Amino acid sequence: MYFSERFQIEYAAEFDWFDPILENDTLLFVDPFLVFADTDADWHQAYGEMMEYFQSAFELLASSQLKPQHQYFKRTLSLMEFPEPSEFRLGFASKNSEGSGSGPGLAKKVVEAMSQAIRRGMVDIEHFEELGILVSGINKDRISDITCNLLKPRLIKYTQDICHTFDVPMQVRKIRHSHYDEARSRWMDAEHLVPVDPETDKPILLTPKRFLRELPTLSSDSWGDFLDTSLRDDLNIKISQVMKKDEIIALARTHPDAVRRWIQYMQERGSSAYDVDSDPMLHVNWQRLARQAVDDSPIEKKPHISNVEDLLSFAHTAIEHFRTWVEKKGGWRVFWRDVRELKAIPEPNMQLLFLGVLERYCEQAGVRLDREVETGRGPVDFTFTSAGDIRVLLEMKKLTHGEFWHGIRTQTPIYMESQDVKHAIFLAIRDSTTKPMRARWIKLDQEAAAASEANLCTIEVARIDIMPKESASNS
């Protein structure tokens, strides 16, 4: 459920704030560069305060002579601890909005990056994101976490203002890392009046949607692209078609001046937020589309499930209804971010849409559907569970996936063995009609039968074709 739905707000695209899904984190990130570039004076000032915080920590670390036992080094470590800001429902957590935590481990990574910069002769930093180009492990999720933590006092007020505008009720809740104690020079937990999800009793904080991106503007990825297009001859280096992050980091450490020139270039070029409302990658609207799919292709009769065969039959019925919506009712369109270029949305986002649809069918049937269940040998995509712990596993892969055959021949049987499950469905999503992919599509049943026989189990096949369909008038 979206924030707007929970509090009965009729959401409109002109709203400034991002409307989060409350049960699942959305795979978008707060980009500090967009805060820096914002024309609103308050937000621009907020970015300046963030950089003052980092600059003072940078100078404190330099005063420690980079000795881990020095009190200034230890103080810098404590200043760089940023807990997972789960109140925003953003980032990598795929099964729920709890997050994975980012305290002391993140602090060590940030201080390592700052130390690398100091060793290279840098006496200040222009954007704290450049630290992520000096040390691996400071990824887009961590950059977003740091930004949300440092902006949390302002974002609490921002959320309160929105709640006042839309008459959203608020309650007093303790928010982690929400008050900076100047006297103690440390972040403290504090109580604030905030909206609370009545289903989970957890606080909710909102962000301006114009600060959200899939990747930070200043990231190792964009630095690598800049190297490839602008600095190849200047640095007299050979850059491969696909550079590994370790190689990008090594170049950044060796050429700090080039990093600064890249930052200047990015400041002049500018950046743009992810278009939340058109949502070309289906990060946000999958839940709304899932409801539409269930409404368009409902299961009329509640099934009776008393054994694994019944559960397997129900799973196939639910998949068939989803397939009908995709192939015959225009649902295939949402699987493509660019239909003309045949560029599909990421497989995890396809799985989110599938989850949203199948969850509703499962609720009607009294079946539990779990995503990314840990098997001990890795996470299986989906698990159907009914009364008496009857279970069926489902593995979902795009036809063009590089490990497609590995998925049905090896991966699925391993998951089944780990979970002591004898029945599974391998769901293939057709996203190509090239000759090799046509052969793969046809060969599926044969491979499933061979894997079943070899592993003394039952792996059945389901197919959904998301390839663009001609209109009836052109068929």
Side-chain angles (χ1 to χ4, degrees), residues 408-438:
I408 195 168
R409 293 168 180 164
T410 306
Q411 201 172 26
T412 301
I414 286 175
Y415 292 156
M416 295 172 74
E417 182 182 13
S418 299
Q419 291 289 288
D420 193 24
V421 171
K422 292 297 183 182
H423 293 77
I425 298 172
F426 188 85
L427 174 59
I429 305 297
R430 186 177 197 175
D431 60 330
S432 171
T433 55
T434 62
K435 186 175 181 180
M437 294 303 108
R438 291 199 302 271

Side-chain angles (χ1 to χ4, degrees), residues 19 50 74 150 154 166 192 197 201 208 210 235 272 314 417 455 459:
D19 189 17
M50 287 169 51
K74 293 178 180 179
L150 293 175
R154 287 179 185 264
F166 293 96
H192 300 273
D197 183 354
D201 199 40
R210 67 182 185 276
L235 297 181
S272 57
F314 162 76
E417 182 182 13
N455 295 279
I459 302 174

Side-chain angles (χ1 to χ4, degrees), residues 353-412:
L353 179 58
F354 181 80
L355 172 70
V357 173
L358 269 290
E359 265 188 336
R360 284 161 178 77
Y361 290 143
C362 287
E363 285 172 9
Q364 297 168 9
V367 172
R368 191 175 82 243
L369 179 67
D370 297 304
R371 182 175 179 236
E372 293 187 347
V373 178
E374 183 54 54
T375 65
R377 301 290 297 276
V380 66
D381 289 337
F382 298 96
T383 303
F384 296 89
T385 308
S386 190
D389 199 29
I390 304 168
R391 285 175 297 160
V392 169
L393 304 188
L394 184 144
E395 189 69 10
M396 174 179 175
K397 274 190 169 39
K398 292 196 298 184
L399 196 62
T400 55
H401 195 291
E403 296 188 350
F404 184 83
W405 287 132
H406 176 74
I408 195 168
R409 293 168 180 164
T410 306
Q411 201 172 26
T412 301

Side-chain angles (χ1 to χ4, degrees), residues 1-20 22 158-170 194-196 198 204-206 209 277 288 291:
M1 182 172 287
Y2 296 86
F3 173 85
S4 59
E5 295 172 333
R6 180 73 79 201
F7 296 104
Q8 299 180 334
I9 300 169
E10 189 173 341
Y11 179 78
E14 59 265 24
F15 290 169
D16 179 71
W17 45 276
F18 173 64
D19 189 17
L22 299 182
Y158 177 80
T159 303
Q160 290 170 339
D161 290 343
I162 291 166
C163 290
H164 288 311
T165 300
F166 293 96
D167 294 322
V168 173
M170 292 184 282
V194 292
V196 175
I204 306 163
L205 292 178
L206 304 175
K209 59 188 177 185
D277 295 303
R288 294 186 179 98
R291 291 185 198 135

Side-chain angles (χ1 to χ4, degrees), residues 221-232:
D221 292 331
S222 54
W223 157 246
D225 293 341
F226 181 69
L227 274 173
D228 197 35
T229 57
S230 304
L231 296 182
R232 182 192 303 268

